[in-house]
Amino acid sequence: NAGVTQTPKFQVLKTGQSMTLQCAQDMNHNSMYWYRQDPGMGLRLIYYSASEGTTDKGEVPNGYNVSRLNKREFSLRLESAAPSQTSVYFCASRNSYNSPLHFGNGTRLTVT
Amino acid sequence: GESVGLHLPTLSVQEGDNSIINCAYSNSASDYFIWYKQESGKGPQFIIDIRSNMDKRQGQRVTVLLNKTVKHLSLQIAATQPGDSAVYFCADGGGSNYKLTFGKGTLLTVNP
């Protein structure tokens, strides 16, 4: 069982470059999420998709866009990377409200 | 705003001892809570969850206690092992939306 798969695992960008973080889940979950994790800040929600065809902003959406490509895939795009976006990004999914999130192993992004 | 907090940022125990990790929440409408374990370089891993209609739930070597009166939950790990060394997060389901709010985490160190 792969669970939640994120690619790439590591990425270094220069300020102003763009990139897309990919996420796919094979658990047939309805909801998918993107979090960032920074030292001392915990996990902060960037965007989420409660079901296929819908996306909503989380706590820190500025500088990001998302696409729920289908039920399995949810991508996160940085249009113009900034050093403040240096972080570890986690994708997660769950079947429904009141069920646990299942996380991928993260993408470690450095913006110089 | 709503918050999920942890009483202790670090906890050091001897192998074989029981560990207790505490968490406070502030949203009185929250009805679902989750504990996660995160090892270095990995994504958060689901441990156990509890709904607000329960006071206690047990898993393998872990017990979660929920006190709705004082808005507090705890994770108890029995016979702590070196493999339990990790950061532990509580998460708050927040009531009727799809978003989880995470605490900043407690680092558990198990000394052999």
Side-chain angles (χ1 to χ4, degrees):
Chain A
N1 286 336
V4 178
T5 303
Q6 293 184 237
T7 55
K9 289 184 169 55
F10 300 93
Q11 184 71 48
V12 179
L13 292 177
K14 295 188 188 308
T15 297
Q17 288 185 318
S18 62
M19 78 161 294
T20 299
L21 281 65
Q22 306 287 353
C23 174
Q25 52 92 8
D26 63 1
M27 296 172 282
N28 201 35
H29 285 168
N30 292 310
S31 303
M32 297 186 73
Y33 300 74
W34 277 105
Y35 285 88
R36 61 178 288 174
Q37 186 176 42
D38 303 291
M41 300 295 290
L43 285 158
R44 293 183 291 169
L45 181 64
I46 305 171
Y47 271 94
Y48 69 103
S49 171
S51 60
E52 189 179 355
T54 68
T55 60
D56 287 283
K57 294 179 180 179
E59 184 184 354
V60 288
N62 291 344
Y64 305 96
N65 285 302
V66 291
S67 295
R68 183 76 183 266
L69 304 170
N70 48 54
K71 191 171 186 179
R72 290 187 63 247
E73 298 173 287
F74 189 39
S75 63
L76 178 71
R77 182 159 178 84
L78 286 70
E79 290 291 350
S80 179
S84 61
Q85 294 178 306
T86 293
S87 189
V88 182
Y89 291 85
F90 289 102
C91 179
S93 69
R94 64 174 173 174
N95 197 34
S96 63
Y97 169 70
N98 276 3
S99 64
L101 280 175
H102 296 266
F103 285 84
N105 279 325
T107 293
R108 284 142 186 84
L109 175 67
T110 301
V111 183
T112 61
Chain B
E2 302 297 341
S3 65
V4 178
L6 291 166
H7 293 305
L8 295 173
T10 61
L11 178 64
S12 183
V13 300
Q14 292 299 121
E15 182 177 359
D17 287 351
N18 296 333
S19 303
I20 300 175
I21 301 170
N22 296 304
C23 183
Y25 64 96
S26 57
N27 185 353
S28 57
S30 295
D31 58 1
Y32 179 62
F33 305 89
I34 313 172
W35 280 100
Y36 286 92
K37 172 186 181 183
Q38 187 175 24
E39 296 173 286
S40 181
K42 295 186 178 180
Q45 177 186 359
F46 167 71
I47 302 172
I48 192 168
D49 59 1
I50 188 167
R51 289 169 174 73
S52 59
N53 60 351
M54 303 172 72
D55 297 324
K56 178 180 179 179
R57 190 167 188 217
Q58 290 183 289
Q60 187 177 9
R61 284 200 305 118
V62 294
T63 300
V64 55
L65 299 177
L66 176 62
N67 185 331
K68 295 179 286 294
T69 302
V70 296
K71 294 195 279 246
H72 179 272
L73 68 160
S74 65
L75 177 70
Q76 299 179 1
I77 305 173
T80 314
Q81 301 167 0
D84 294 327
S85 294
V87 175
Y88 290 80
F89 299 93
C90 62
D92 168 6
S96 60
N97 61 41
Y98 283 86
K99 295 183 278 189
L100 290 172
T101 301
F102 287 83
K104 291 184 174 53
T106 291
L107 174 62
L108 174 66
T109 301
V110 182
N111 302 307

